[in-house]
Structure formats: structure tokens, C-alpha cells
Amino acid sequence: PVHVAESGGGLVQTGGSLKLSCTIPNHRLEDYSMAWFRQAPGHEREAISCSSWSGERITYQNSVKGRATISRDGATNTLYLSMSSLNPEDTAMYYCAAVHRARVGYDACAMSQSWYPYWGQGTQVTVSS
């Protein structure tokens, strides 16, 4: 089984920053293309950023460009999402998602939920005004 686990959420003040973490225990992160999504109350789940399995192909949603950085640490087998200049509109449940490189077939990622068969339970981020 492939389990995805996020951590790092919490309460942040407007203008602050956060760093979320995602791991796939017992699996090599380098074998997976990964993505971060978020869902605010009353809104659909949306993609924030994705990283191909090599880490060389990265995409960001326009609303977070310049404020978000997706990164991988091979030593700790961890995917990160760093965000700065947070505002109340960033309040949401943040999810990490994964797809094995064999299923993708080439070095790519996508900002589409249907790409990713493996999902974490989410970590809540609340930005206070």
C-alpha cells in the first residue's frame, strides 16, 4: 500500500509563512510525481503546485506564483511546500498527492486531481486576519 502523509499545518498570521511536509513511508520519493492541492470550505479542491518525479519539472498555480516553492529532499524522502505572504484566502485543508513514475511514463506532473491515485488526509492551514 502507498500511504501519503502531510504535516506542518497550523494557525498563521496574515503576512506570515509556512512550510508543509509530505512523505510516502517505505517508498522512494524519487519514484513519484507529486502535487499539492488545497480545499477551502465551500470551494472545490484546487492544485497549488506539482513536481515531476525527477524534480526538474515544476508548475505553480497563478495565485501562488512568487509566494510558493515546492521542493524535494532526497536525503529525508520528503516533499515540501513553502508559502509566504499568507493571507486569509490561503486558509484551507492542504493535501499532498502522488503518482508512480511507471504510471506516468515520462518525467512530468499535472495540476489535475485525476492524475493522482494516492492522497494524504490533509493538514489544515488557517490564516488569521
Side-chain angles (χ1 to χ4, degrees):
V2 178
H3 297 291
V4 179
E6 309 96 335
S7 62
L11 180 63
V12 185
Q13 290 189 333
T14 293
S17 60
L18 61 79
K19 188 172 186 178
L20 304 180
S21 301
C22 174
T23 60
I24 312 177
N26 303 315
H27 294 269
R28 300 190 312 173
L29 189 67
E30 64 194 56
D31 287 335
Y32 291 84
S33 289
M34 308 288 293
W36 286 98
F37 289 78
R38 67 184 179 186
Q39 186 168 19
H43 290 78
E44 294 186 355
R45 190 172 298 186
E46 62 177 1
I48 303 170
S49 181
C50 72
S51 168
S52 66
W53 51 263
S54 74
E56 293 185 3
R57 300 184 187 280
I58 290 175
T59 301
Y60 293 99
Q61 184 204 95
N62 286 337
S63 70
V64 301
K65 276 183 180 177
R67 300 193 298 126
T69 301
I70 191 170
S71 60
R72 294 169 176 256
D73 185 336
T76 61
N77 221 34
T78 304
L79 179 79
Y80 297 102
L81 177 70
S82 298
M83 289 187 64
S84 61
S85 302
L86 290 167
N87 57 70
E89 288 69 41
D90 293 314
T91 294
M93 185 72 78
Y94 284 68
Y95 297 92
C96 181
V99 58
H100 196 277
R101 57 189 287 183
R103 178 164 170 164
V104 176
Y106 57 103
D107 189 29
C109 66
M111 304 284 270
S112 171
Q113 295 183 57
S114 62
W115 249 56
Y116 303 94
Y118 309 116
W119 291 79
Q121 294 298 307
T123 185
Q124 177 67 39
V125 172
T126 302
V127 183
S128 63
S129 56

